[in-house]
Amino acid sequence: MPLLEARALTRRFGSFTALDGVDFDLRAGEIHAVLGENGAGKSTLMNVLSGLLRPSTGELLIDGQSVRFASPADANAQGIGMVHQHFLLVPPLSVAENLLLSADKAKGGPLSWPLKSVLTEAQALAKSLGWSLPWDALAGSLPVGTQQRIEILKALRGQTKILIFDEPTAVLTPTETPELFATLRQLAAEGKGIVFISHKLDEVLALSERVTVLRRGKVVARLATAECDAGMLAEAMVGSNLSPTPLPDSCSSLGKGAGGEVLTVQNLTLGKLKNLSFSVAPGEILGFAGVDGNGQTELADCLSGMRKPESGEIRVGAMRLSPAPKAVREAQIGVIPADRQKRGLALSMTLTENLTLGVQDSPEFRKSIFLNAKALRARAEQLIQRFDIRTEGPESRASSLSGGNQQKVVIARALAGEPKVVIAVNPTRGLDVGAISYVHTALREAQAAGAAIVLISTELDEVLTLSDRVAVLFEGKLRGIVAPETPREELGRLMGGAAA
Ligand code: ADP
Ligand code: MG
């Protein structure tokens, strides 16, 4: 009998379904990986399993008994502990105080536990794992790997037999990762069930016995790790879903090579990204496919002027691009950033204000040192019309819009000035089908108007549907540039690291 079982779990946020009929089971003594791209629903599933979120429908069972969790503390009392993606320690408190605080929350009383007994239990656990921890040091002063160990102690307290790790290696240094893996293996050997979330194929292959692959909230594969390779996992992760829409005629007739290269990238190197070179012609969409975490973020950051490359250069026409958002705007590059809420929008500001960002310095919208409010508002109204933004009006706050309409604001700003180059990063993440098709049409229109477009997306279908050429990144290097008609299995292999 599985230690933990989920049956037909569904979780909706408003009209969006983040988990859709998910079945999952965890055995005692196994490390079970949950793999999926960003936005696949991994954290949502774990938050349901650990009592942080309630399922919309579906059932959870522990040792074959149906259970319901009112809170994480409740789940913890029933044997489930979770180590979150973002740590929940209080930085100015000591390690011991942090443990006491969380112990007390679990018991529900105001500081009713004696510090000493909490500490004794934690110290015994730490010793069994071979750790020596600075109990009196302030949590905020410790290396991330040590902070994570404190989180593990918190999750392990009491009768915990199920431990969930949400992307635990994302924050670790290369030397801390093997240490964490050793801990996970030891805990599994002691008979605990471990759920390990990741979007990194090599980690999943190295650590787990079984893999459940999530895509858009659904389980798309259940595999025994020993029978998998990276290519199979990559393919399962990015498999088919969106139905491709045919290109409008205007695009295919323009397209490749219509007038020399606009965007040229040479030997770009930053962090994971190594010596990347490519170029994009006017009216062309070059799509980057690859499992997330293979250099896409670095590439997007360089192309949008957010970070300075360690070496290499980016040219628009003959002009060398400086690493600054302002230089990017001046070079007529429109950016659709990955995270619309953090980088794309000022949520508490109005649509007019949001749409003004980027044009505030142009003479058209300035009267001496003041902004020309009337002109800006008129422009916002036009853009709301043109980009079909469903809102009460230009004075509505960005936070009041649905996700799809927020993304239209971001796109309006990126595409309004008829840019020469467009950088689109996961432009449809988290959107529903209608909004996705809108975004795709907007990109095709920019393409038809002659823009050179770089599309970086973890949605393989999106890349294949929109791109004229498909570049595959693996571990920061270009594995090849192939035609979008390339068979999926072949792409999966490239994404898993095979040479083109
Ligand atoms: P993963 O951990 O696999 O990257 P998540 O479970 O965090 O994915 O998110 C799955 C989807 O659910 C995403 O599209 C995300 O935007 C959406 N989502 C997650 N939490 C919420 C929330 N609280 N409200 C609305 N949408 C959410
Ligand atoms: Mg997550």
Side-chain angles (χ1 to χ4, degrees):
M1 185 192 300
L3 203 52
L4 174 70
E5 197 180 349
R7 290 188 190 154
L9 276 191
T10 293
R11 168 70 203 206
R12 284 180 280 271
F13 296 107
S15 63
F16 180 74
T17 305
L19 289 179
D20 193 354
V22 169
D23 293 324
F24 176 79
D25 73 278
L26 177 69
R27 299 175 195 143
E30 80 164 335
I31 300 180
H32 191 144
V34 174
L35 179 71
E37 296 178 340
N38 259 319
K42 306 180 297 292
S43 292
T44 305
L45 176 59
M46 297 312 129
N47 289 336
V48 170
L49 297 182
S50 67
L52 203 63
L53 286 174
R54 240 88 36 233
S56 304
T57 57
E59 195 184 12
L60 284 179
L61 303 98
I62 294 182
D63 293 328
Q65 302 286 316
S66 184
V67 289
R68 271 167 204 277
F69 304 136
S71 66
D74 194 13
N76 203 227
Q78 302 191 51
I80 299 182
M82 173 140 166
V83 176
H84 286 271
Q85 210 163 355
H86 307 287
F87 300 153
L88 310 170
L89 298 174
V90 186
L93 295 185
S94 73
V95 171
E97 285 163 338
N98 266 287
L99 289 166
L100 177 68
L101 254 189
S102 68
D104 211 75
K105 243 192 257 152
K107 284 208 83 187
L111 298 181
S112 56
W113 275 34
L115 180 56
K116 195 150 168 276
S117 74
V118 172
L119 204 52
T120 312
E121 188 195 354
Q123 282 169 338
L125 268 174
K127 194 167 167 221
S128 75
L129 291 166
W131 301 341
S132 71
L133 293 174
W135 305 99
D136 297 323
L138 301 187
S141 71
L142 300 173
V144 187
T146 310
Q147 295 191 29
Q148 189 177 57
R149 289 181 168 181
I150 301 163
E151 292 287 1
I152 294 174
L153 290 181
K154 279 163 59 178
L156 267 177
R157 179 186 27 241
Q159 305 305 311
T160 302
K161 48 193 177 183
I162 295 157
L163 262 182
I164 300 172
F165 289 84
D166 193 355
E167 306 226 12
T169 60
V171 292
L172 297 182
T173 64
T175 51
E176 288 167 333
T177 299
E179 292 171 7
L180 171 70
F181 283 11
T183 302
L184 297 189
R185 290 197 180 99
Q186 181 181 341
L187 291 167
E190 288 169 10
K192 298 195 194 304
I194 310 282
V195 186
F196 173 76
I197 306 198
S198 180
H199 57 246
K200 297 185 189 151
L201 305 176
D202 49 348
E203 295 183 348
V204 169
L205 289 169
L207 196 64
S208 67
E209 272 103 66
R210 288 195 293 159
V211 193
T212 294
V213 185
L214 280 183
R215 180 156 198 272
R216 293 192 169 221
K218 292 198 170 97
V219 174
V220 292
R222 287 189 188 80
L223 303 160
T225 313
E227 291 157 21
C228 295
D229 60 25
M232 282 166 70
L233 289 178
E235 203 193 321
M237 222 165 126
V238 298
S240 164
N241 192 319
L242 274 178
S243 58
T245 24
L247 282 173
D249 290 345
S250 60
C251 298
S252 28
S253 61
L254 245 176
K256 295 134 273 195
E261 313 301 11
V262 194
L263 179 71
T264 320
V265 170
Q266 235 159 19
N267 295 323
L268 195 68
T269 299
L270 173 65
K272 194 152 210 173
L273 203 61
K274 300 278 184 271
N275 276 315
L276 185 66
S277 301
F278 63 89
S279 58
V280 192
E284 181 185 38
I285 300 185
L286 176 66
F288 278 86
V291 175
D292 210 24
N294 279 288
Q296 290 93 331
T297 310
E298 291 83 354
L299 175 60
D301 285 353
C302 290
L303 290 175
S304 53
M306 302 299 296
R307 288 172 73 191
K308 185 176 185 297
E310 284 155 24
S311 60
E313 64 173 28
I314 302 169
R315 283 178 188 275
V316 177
M319 208 179 68
R320 191 174 171 162
L321 188 73
S322 319
K326 189 158 182 236
V328 165
R329 275 201 301 274
E330 284 167 1
Q332 290 181 274
I333 301 180
V335 178
I336 303 170
D339 188 334
R340 61 178 167 268
Q341 304 222 324
K342 281 206 201 95
R343 280 191 181 168
L345 288 173
L347 285 172
S348 63
M349 285 168 43
T350 66
L351 293 192
T352 302
E353 287 163 336
N354 269 289
L355 290 166
T356 299
L357 300 173
V359 297
Q360 68 271 30
D361 297 327
S362 80
E364 225 182 312
F365 301 111
R366 282 211 164 260
K367 291 192 241 173
S368 69
I369 61 162
F370 299 107
L371 288 173
N372 182 342
K374 216 170 141 194
L376 286 169
R377 200 184 146 112
R379 175 173 173 275
E381 268 163 3
Q382 264 176 19
L383 291 177
I384 287 170
Q385 284 280 318
R386 181 174 148 206
F387 288 89
D388 189 31
I389 300 166
R390 308 285 164 83
T391 169
E392 284 172 22
E395 298 317 306
S396 302
R397 295 196 185 280
S399 57
S400 72
L401 300 183
S402 69
N405 282 290
Q406 287 180 353
Q407 187 68 346
K408 288 180 186 174
V409 176
V410 172
I411 286 174
R413 201 172 53 209
L415 302 184
E418 255 93 63
K420 280 200 259 178
V421 175
V422 175
I423 312 297
V425 189
N426 289 322
T428 58
R429 179 178 293 170
L431 300 188
D432 61 32
V433 180
I436 289 173
S437 126
Y438 180 87
V439 172
H440 287 177
T441 307
L443 285 173
R444 287 208 173 107
E445 282 171 2
Q447 173 187 31
I453 301 181
V454 176
L455 169 68
I456 302 173
S457 174
T458 47
E459 284 293 337
L460 184 57
D461 293 294
E462 177 164 88
V463 171
L464 296 182
T465 306
L466 291 174
S467 308
D468 297 300
R469 291 183 298 151
V470 179
V472 181
L473 279 181
F474 178 74
E475 293 185 340
K477 296 199 187 102
L478 199 58
R479 275 288 141 174
I481 297 188
V482 297
E485 296 79 25
T486 306
R488 225 162 246 288
E489 307 76 65
E490 176 59 23
L491 280 163
R493 274 197 292 280
L494 291 177
M495 291 167 72

